[in-house]
Amino acid sequence: MNVRRSAAVLAAVAVFGSAAAPAAFADDAPSPSTALPSGLYGKSDPKFDGVFRQSYALLALDTAGVRPAQKAVTWLTGQQCASGGFAAYRADASEPCDSKTPVDSNSTAAAVQALAALGGDKSQDKGQDKSLAETVDKGVAWLKSVQNQDGGWGYNPGLPSDANSTGIVVGALAAAGENPADVKSQKGKSAYDALPKLAMDCGKGDGAFGLADAKSGKLSPNADATAAGVLGSLGKGLVVTPGKKSADEAPKCAKPDTAAQAASNGTGFLLKLLGKHDDHLMSAMPGAKDQPDQGNTADAVVALAAAGQGEQAGKSAEWLAKNSAAWAKQSGPAAYAQLVLAAHAAGMDPRDFGGADLVERLTAQGPPPEKGSSSDSAADADSDEKKEDGGVSIWWIIGVGMVAGIGIGFLYSANRKKQQP
């Protein structure tokens, strides 16, 4: 799940200024001039996505049965502020966070999901890591403290709720052993109250979850927001158990007055879009030619599997297996992680995904896994693969493009996710 929403545009502009945005998220962003921590996955500048891509990598490896290197886990836990929140990246984690540290819900929720999976879930009866559990508990407490009164979350504290942020926070709460329905604002609202308000009607909106315009706040149908909204409305995180493979009837659209109905409508929207483009999604960028969108397609696979649409999830995962190699190699660890999670959700083998061993390639992006891990051999992967982290990878975390003159931005994930038409 990626962080590419209008709320994040506002946050990025406020924190970094509009002049910094285009350069910061250029497709061929240069590698940082200073050496990166040895425990960090990826070689590109982590300023905007360090915590996010690390969290995705750790979560995907755990899902594939690989115990990540302890230094990689330690790097992620060390990024947490005393408040419990995470920023996208802190170059010097020994310096305390202050009021200017841009902690955000997405980085925090992604880290919580990863660390909960690695042993920080307080609901586990055995195998719990107390240190990780404390980190997860602090992260959850921070997320609760910045919940909006409508029950949802924005990218940064104080920003309006959006489907992407609310969806990934719901996944974090569930991963940490919380019941998202019980996490309520002072006005008694939960995420399941907020998400239907972020869903569009069955007319022009076609049942999609919307991405808000940075200036007017008006929602527009968006596949990435819809995938996140469906997962959140179903109470699911990024790791989804494979669904049945039989063909499932497309759900009928109806007024999204409940989270369940909003999820159903969003599922129908994704099915319709995938059906129009031979099982994958397309990116749409102003002034550019439409092209296949592997990142959003991977997200859609996970959402559809969670919604019980195993047939389409499988078809789209098969498309990814045939068409994602170059994209993942260019985009880096977060992209490989997304593919691992999509393969898992579709019931496919991530070690033989279109002939590629995604687990080996993801492992090669960071430090070798712990001894005894099922992918120790990946430590000897091609050294050239270790250096592949071109472009700006997710989670994805944020890319900002400003529309000249009016300051309206469209948020892109580094896996080159584009706003859907």
Side-chain angles (χ1 to χ4, degrees):
M1 233 49 31
N2 301 309
V3 196
R4 17 14 147 171
R5 64 220 70 196
S6 60
V9 170
L10 294 174
V13 172
V15 175
F16 305 113
S18 61
F25 301 105
D27 283 349
D28 297 314
S31 296
S33 58
T34 57
L36 294 176
S38 61
L40 179 65
Y41 279 80
K43 301 302 179 183
S44 67
D45 193 334
K47 184 175 182 180
F48 298 104
D49 78 336
V51 166
F52 216 95
R53 77 191 192 203
Q54 188 83 349
S55 299
Y56 262 60
L58 299 183
L59 183 61
L61 289 174
D62 178 78
T63 301
V66 177
R67 181 68 184 182
Q70 184 57 46
K71 66 164 62 175
V73 180
T74 299
W75 182 87
L76 181 58
T77 58
Q79 288 285 300
Q80 187 175 43
C81 294
S83 66
F86 285 77
Y89 177 68
R90 295 168 60 204
D92 185 357
S94 66
E95 290 292 325
C97 300
D98 57 25
S99 59
K100 295 182 180 179
T101 305
V103 287
D104 68 84
S105 63
N106 292 252
S107 297
T108 304
V112 165
Q113 290 199 49
L115 297 175
L118 292 171
D121 179 359
K122 65 182 181 182
S123 69
Q124 293 179 1
D125 294 328
K126 59 181 180 179
Q128 185 187 67
D129 182 309
K130 290 185 178 180
S131 177
L132 291 183
E134 291 176 357
T135 302
V136 168
D137 285 347
K138 286 177 62 178
V140 169
W142 183 84
L143 289 170
K144 291 180 178 179
S145 74
V146 297
Q147 184 178 23
N148 288 334
Q149 291 302 325
D150 64 2
W153 282 265
Y155 182 75
N156 291 114
L159 288 178
S161 298
D162 64 81
N164 298 81
S165 298
T166 302
I168 195 171
V169 171
V170 168
L173 295 174
E178 298 275 350
N179 181 354
D182 294 335
V183 178
K184 297 182 178 181
S185 68
Q186 294 176 340
K187 292 186 176 181
K189 302 292 185 180
S190 76
Y192 300 139
D193 294 304
L195 285 166
K197 304 295 184 183
L198 298 167
M200 303 185 70
D201 61 27
C202 300
K204 186 176 180 180
D206 220 6
F209 282 84
L211 185 70
D213 178 88
K215 185 176 182 181
S216 68
K218 184 179 179 180
L219 295 175
S220 296
N222 183 270
D224 191 42
T226 300
V230 168
L231 276 181
S233 296
L234 294 173
K236 302 293 185 179
L238 297 169
V239 180
V240 172
T241 302
K244 58 184 179 180
K245 288 290 185 179
S246 59
D248 302 304
E249 182 179 353
K252 295 181 179 179
C253 195
K255 183 179 179 180
D257 50 3
T258 66
Q261 187 60 57
S264 179
N265 293 352
T267 299
F269 174 78
L270 291 175
L271 291 172
K272 183 177 180 179
L273 277 186
L274 291 165
K276 291 170 63 176
H277 300 293
D278 297 325
D279 302 320
H280 65 279
L281 298 175
M282 298 292 289
S283 64
M285 189 175 177
K289 183 179 179 180
D290 288 0
Q291 59 185 332
D293 191 329
Q294 288 88 349
N296 270 339
T297 300
D299 289 346
V301 167
V302 176
L304 291 177
Q309 294 287 338
E311 177 76 8
Q312 184 60 64
K315 290 180 179 180
S316 294
E318 290 287 356
W319 181 89
L320 285 168
K322 297 175 182 178
N323 297 279
S324 62
W327 167 76
K329 185 176 182 180
Q330 183 180 36
S331 299
Y336 283 119
Q338 281 185 281
L339 293 176
V340 169
L341 296 173
H344 176 77
M348 296 174 66
D349 184 359
R351 291 181 171 81
D352 185 13
F353 195 69
D357 187 338
L358 297 175
V359 179
E360 182 181 57
R361 293 185 180 185
L362 174 56
T363 303
Q365 300 282 316
E370 292 297 303
K371 293 299 180 181
S373 170
S374 61
S375 287
D376 278 347
S377 61
D380 299 322
D382 189 340
S383 60
D384 286 340
E385 189 67 34
K386 283 193 175 191
K387 297 176 183 178
E388 292 294 345
D389 189 23
V392 184
S393 59
I394 272 188
W395 281 49
W396 51 198
I397 200 167
I398 34 184
V400 179
M402 301 300 294
V403 175
I406 56 176
I408 301 177
F410 293 95
L411 194 53
Y412 311 108
S413 63
N415 57 22
R416 289 162 179 74
K417 291 186 177 186
K418 310 299 190 301
Q419 187 168 330
Q420 294 289 327

